Amino acid sequence: MNSSSLQKSSYSASNNECVEVRVCGEVVELRESDEPGTILGADPAAFLSLLESIKASGFDQPA
């Protein structure tokens, strides 16, 4: 995976504990920075649904 194309979560600040995301063709790929070899892929509609669920639950607030 080419890490230069990954976007880091804005909630991660300057530490290395973050979620990174990128679009690769028709798939949205996510990974946790401390597990770079593990990648979760989703179609854009499923990813949007995930984001909407996170925001609706209040889990999108910094700890």
Side-chain angles (χ1 to χ4, degrees):
M1 174 183 256
N2 180 357
S3 61
S4 65
S5 61
L6 292 163
Q7 278 192 303
K8 190 187 257 192
S9 168
S10 60
Y11 289 119
S12 66
S14 62
N15 62 34
N16 289 328
E17 299 174 3
C18 62
V19 173
E20 300 168 315
V21 65
R22 75 174 184 176
V23 176
C24 187
E26 297 292 319
V27 177
V28 179
E29 295 182 337
L30 297 110
R31 75 175 188 180
E32 177 66 34
S33 61
D34 62 352
E35 291 289 334
T38 303
I39 301 164
L40 173 69
D43 65 69
F47 181 69
L48 179 59
S49 180
L50 171 66
L51 290 180
E52 289 172 345
S53 295
I54 291 169
K55 289 178 180 183
S57 70
F59 286 120
D60 66 330
Q61 302 303 309

